[in-house]
């Protein structure tokens, strides 16, 4: 059974196309190839989370993803069983085999978009590797007993697991730290031994969290940028998916209860310890949700961990309920059906995605350097339970892939998809000032042959150039200026996308945008302090027009007249700052 799981996930890993965060990793490899040891050390120092490091390894060495990622997923399921039952599953026990298979099925049934989490390479790196490490760490704590085993290898291994778990995701690492601290305190109160590996593992979790919070590029935007509506939408999705596990267990238990009353047949009853574990999973799942909502990595894959806790609690409940032979038969049927559907869908969808990826890679590599390439979109365009969908519709991903990976100016689709975010068309100029003269060719080489038209991509290139040149020269200041944007009310003021000003530091807006509300108003969400200016004028410019705006707290509302891109510009009496570009679609 485990070999079949591994084979399925290996096939999916082999067929997984480049998407999302992969383009950033590929761009880094292209830029620094051949990669020196100093480059690798610098990458780890700047991108210190486990997901960033694993994601880069998975891109740099495709065999790593094909061989290691399926192993991690299988170990994750085994570790979840070990954590739930405080023991390893026995390969000689048919009951343990059934329970392990049910647990795997419950994960697929009760977590949101598991196909994307287990299939999309960056999601596996950011949300499965670290969770696997933390699950095994907590399993060791739970299985410790009154007189825990000691040993140098055990200590080293658990410290490495704790660092990996701590450097994975904010919400699971924080909850894991709370659990291990509470476990150590409880053991001391009850007079149980606390071996050194428990204390060192706690320190490892803290170290991992420090590395995680030092990472300047979190995988998802923070809550203040995503907005409460987006976060609550994710919460509703989690409750909808997680409720499937609770409903399955509750309905099974209720059916057994009705039968026991009508036919006077005793029903299997969980022990007090099992009920306590189920309650722990339920409460911990919602605790993870609460911490995750306030963390910088919250989204569909961020909900995977709390949903998995529900599955762990449900597996313990079902392990008791399957003592009834009718429930056992039904559980076998449902478990086999889930595995068949999962295998069929994952093989079909990811094999199709691999074929689509081969077509688009041929199209991209055939396009002349510096041109606009035309590609065929994925057949599965929308994000579904199984597949991430078409990611190059988003301008940031598209320009990153075009410029950094393939040396192109942009990428377009050869058909209408409804997911193509048009480029803003902004032309920008980089100006860097040093204490000593630096040749323009050196600056141009650091920026790259092509500067993106997206604010996010151009800012990334500008920051990267300053970082690289700042290691060799004494950098005083720098500007990323927009040179082709004009509108009534500008009055000759320069428009910057970002600045590095002596005495002020880095000036780069922190903002986001939202699709129309019921009143058809688009909105930008702006952290006004990040602008470092006294805003006197606000403009929304796009599609050849300047639209009226209404500012309410952190939000700036406007009503677009046409589909296209619209840029928010904030001005003081002497200069302007382009804040964010929104994409309007009707």
């Amino acid at each position: 059974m485990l070999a079949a799981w591994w084979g399925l996930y290996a096939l999916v890993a082999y067929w997984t196309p480049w998407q999302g965060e992969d383009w950033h990793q590929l761009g880094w490899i292209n830029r620094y190839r051949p990669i020196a040891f100093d480059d690798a050390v610098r990458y780890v120092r700047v991108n210190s989370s486990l997901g960033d490091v694993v994601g880069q390894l998975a891109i740099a060495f495709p065999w790593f993803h094909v061989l290691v990622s399926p192993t991690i997923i299988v170990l994750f399921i085994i570790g979840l069983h070990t954590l739930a039952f405080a023991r390893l599953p026995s390969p000689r026990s048919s009951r343990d085999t059934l329970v392990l298979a049910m647990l795997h099925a419950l994960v697929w049934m009760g977590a949101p978009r598991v196909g994307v989490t287990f299939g999309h390479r960056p999601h596996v790196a950011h949300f499965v590797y670290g969770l696997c490490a933390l699950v095994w760490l907590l399993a060791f704590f739970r299985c410790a007993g009154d007189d825990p085993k000691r040993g140098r290898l055990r200590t080293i291994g658990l410290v490495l697991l704790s660092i990996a778990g701590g450097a994975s995701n904010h919400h699971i690492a924080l909850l894991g730290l709370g659990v291990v601290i509470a476990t150590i305190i409880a053991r001391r109160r009850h007079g149980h031994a606390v071996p050194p590996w428990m204390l060192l593992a706690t320190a490892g979790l803290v170290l991992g969290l420090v590395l995680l919070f030092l990472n300047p590029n979190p995988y998802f935007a923070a809550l203040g940028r995503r907005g409460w509506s987006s976060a609550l939408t994710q919460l509703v999705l989690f409750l909808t998916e997680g409720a499937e596990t609770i409903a399955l267990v509750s309905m099974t238990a209720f059916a057994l209860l009705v039968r026991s009353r009508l036919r006077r047949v005793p029903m299997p009853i969980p022990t007090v310890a099992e009920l306590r574990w189920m309650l722990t999973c339920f409460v911990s799942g919602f605790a993870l949700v609460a911490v995750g909502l306030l963390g910088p990595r919250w989204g569909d894959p961020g909900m995977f961990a709390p949903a998995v806790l529900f599955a762990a609690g449900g597996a313990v409940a079902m392990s008791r309920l399957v003592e009834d032979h009718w429930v056992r038969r039904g559980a076998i049927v449902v478990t086999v059906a889930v595995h068949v559907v999962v295998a069929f869908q994952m093989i079909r969808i990811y094999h199709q995605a691999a074929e689509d990826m081969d077509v688009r890679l041929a199209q991209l590599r055939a396009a002349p350097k510096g041109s606009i390439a035309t590609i065929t979109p994925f057949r599965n365009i929308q994000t579904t339970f199984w597949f991430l969908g078409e990611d190059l519709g988003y301008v940031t991903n598209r320009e990153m892939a075009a410029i950094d990976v393939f040396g192109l100016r942009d990428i377009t689709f050869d058909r209408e998809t409804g997911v193509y975010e048009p480029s803003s068309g902004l032309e920008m100029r980089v100006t860097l000032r040093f204490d000593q003269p630096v040749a323009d060719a050196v600056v141009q080489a650091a920026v790259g042959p092509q500067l993106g038209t997206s604010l996010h991509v151009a800012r990334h290139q500008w920051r990267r150039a300053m970082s690289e040149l700042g290691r060799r020269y004494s950098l005083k200041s720098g500007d990323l200026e927009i040179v082709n944007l004009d509108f009534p009310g500008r009055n000759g003021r320069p428009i910057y996308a970002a600045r590095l000003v002596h005495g002020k530091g880095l000036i780069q807006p922190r903002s986001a945008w939202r699709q129309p509300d019921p009143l058809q108003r688009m909105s930008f969400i702006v952290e006004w302090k990040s602008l470092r200016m006294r805003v006197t004028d606000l403009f929304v410019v796009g599609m050849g027009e300047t639209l009226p705006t209404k500012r309410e707290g952190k939000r700036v509302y406007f009503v677009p007249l046409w589909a296209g891109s619209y840029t928010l510009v904030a001005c003081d009496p002497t200069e302007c700052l382009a804040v964010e570009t929104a994409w309007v679609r009707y």
Side-chain angles (χ1 to χ4, degrees), residues 554-578:
K554 291 185 177 182
R555 287 191 180 251
V556 177
Y557 292 95
F558 71 99
V559 180
L561 303 179
W562 309 97
S565 59
Y566 292 81
T567 301
L568 173 65
V569 180
C571 300
D572 67 11
T574 60
E575 63 186 42
C576 297
L577 193 62

Side-chain angles (χ1 to χ4, degrees), residues 104-126:
H104 186 235
L106 286 173
V107 168
W108 274 95
M109 293 171 63
R113 292 176 179 164
V114 187
V116 180
T117 303
F118 283 164
H120 180 46
R121 187 183 293 101
H123 283 4
V124 177
H126 282 275

Side-chain angles (χ1 to χ4, degrees), residues 177-190:
L177 180 62
V179 169
V180 299
I181 291 175
T183 301
I184 291 173
I185 293 174
R187 292 183 69 86
R188 289 193 182 279
R189 285 182 177 176
H190 290 90

Side-chain angles (χ1 to χ4, degrees), residues 5 8 16 62 227 278 360 398 408 430 481 497 509 541 578-579:
W5 293 354
L8 170 65
T16 297
M278 286 183 256
R360 67 170 46 185
R398 191 172 67 246
L408 302 170
V430 172
E481 185 179 359
V541 184
V579 179

Side-chain angles (χ1 to χ4, degrees), residues 16-40:
T16 297
W18 291 337
Q19 290 178 297
E21 190 79 0
D22 290 340
W23 300 116
H24 296 262
Q25 313 284 17
L26 286 164
W28 186 89
I29 291 173
N30 281 356
R31 184 173 182 82
Y32 294 102
R33 182 183 285 127
I35 299 170
F37 179 76
D38 290 346
D39 296 326

Side-chain angles (χ1 to χ4, degrees), residues 368-390:
K369 297 296 183 182
S371 67
I372 298 178
T374 300
I375 65 171
T376 302
F378 286 120
R379 279 169 278 184
N380 295 297
I381 292 176
Q382 301 295 335
T383 300
T384 65
F385 181 87
W386 308 98
F387 186 64
L388 185 69
E390 181 53 73

Side-chain angles (χ1 to χ4, degrees), residues 385-539:
F385 181 87
W386 308 98
F387 186 64
L388 185 69
E390 181 53 73
D391 68 307
L392 291 184
Y394 299 101
V395 63
T396 301
N397 288 343
R398 191 172 67 246
E399 286 196 352
M400 189 72 68
I403 295 170
D404 285 349
V405 180
F406 299 102
L408 302 170
R409 187 155 53 113
D410 202 353
I411 299 170
T412 61
F413 292 151
D414 62 6
R415 66 201 67 185
E416 179 58 44
T417 62
V419 297
Y420 188 87
E421 182 178 343
S423 299
S424 63
L426 298 176
E427 295 180 9
M428 289 172 254
R429 177 176 60 212
V430 172
T431 303
L432 301 179
R433 305 173 189 88
F434 302 89
D435 284 339
Q436 66 271 48
V438 177
D440 292 341
V442 174
V443 175
Q444 184 61 47
V447 173
Q450 179 77 32
L451 194 61
T453 64
S454 158
L455 289 174
H456 290 279
V457 175
R459 286 167 179 164
H460 168 75
Q461 294 173 290
W462 175 71
R463 290 195 312 269
R464 183 182 64 195
M466 290 195 300
S467 176
E468 292 180 2
L469 295 175
R471 292 194 294 267
R472 292 182 283 163
Y473 308 100
S474 179
L475 179 65
K476 294 169 55 179
S477 62
D479 299 325
L480 180 62
E481 185 179 359
I482 299 174
V483 297
N484 69 332
L485 187 61
D486 199 8
F487 48 87
R490 177 191 169 196
N491 298 329
R493 289 174 286 190
I495 304 174
Y496 299 103
R499 303 194 74 191
L500 178 65
V501 180
H502 182 71
K504 287 187 176 181
L506 181 65
I507 301 175
Q508 179 175 299
R510 294 197 303 272
S511 56
W513 58 273
R514 296 287 173 266
Q515 286 288 348
D517 63 12
L519 298 178
Q520 293 302 307
R521 299 181 305 173
M522 294 280 294
S523 62
F524 294 96
I525 303 172
V526 184
E527 294 288 341
W528 297 106
K529 291 182 179 179
S530 68
L531 306 188
R532 310 278 188 90
M533 62 164 41
R534 183 174 60 85
V535 177
T536 57
D537 302 298
L538 285 172
F539 305 92

Side-chain angles (χ1 to χ4, degrees), residues 166-318:
S168 58
N169 283 288
H170 303 72
H171 57 300
I172 68 169
L174 287 170
L175 186 66
L177 180 62
V179 169
V180 299
I181 291 175
T183 301
I184 291 173
I185 293 174
R187 292 183 69 86
R188 289 193 182 279
R189 285 182 177 176
H190 290 90
H192 300 320
V194 178
W197 62 259
M198 287 190 174
L199 300 176
L200 291 173
T202 305
L205 271 174
V206 174
L207 175 59
L209 273 166
V210 170
L211 294 174
L212 187 63
F213 278 96
L214 288 176
N215 181 12
N217 303 307
Y219 191 54
F220 286 118
L223 172 63
R225 298 174 65 186
R226 290 180 63 87
W228 280 107
S229 60
S230 176
L232 292 177
T233 300
Q234 303 294 337
L235 176 60
V236 170
L237 180 58
F238 159 72
L239 294 175
T240 303
E241 297 285 349
E244 294 180 10
T245 300
I246 298 174
L248 176 65
V249 174
S250 301
M251 291 171 60
T252 304
F254 181 73
L256 286 177
L257 177 63
V258 171
R259 195 187 68 164
S260 69
R261 292 296 183 266
L262 294 178
R263 297 190 177 183
R264 308 288 183 178
V265 177
M267 68 174 287
I269 299 176
T271 64
V272 173
E274 291 170 343
L275 290 172
R276 188 181 296 118
W277 169 253
M278 286 183 256
L279 178 62
T280 299
C281 290
F282 185 78
V283 173
S284 299
F286 280 102
L288 270 179
V289 171
V291 177
L293 280 172
L294 300 175
R297 294 186 182 181
W298 181 249
D300 293 344
M303 293 183 290
F304 182 68
V308 157
L309 277 176
F310 282 13
V316 171
M318 290 302 298

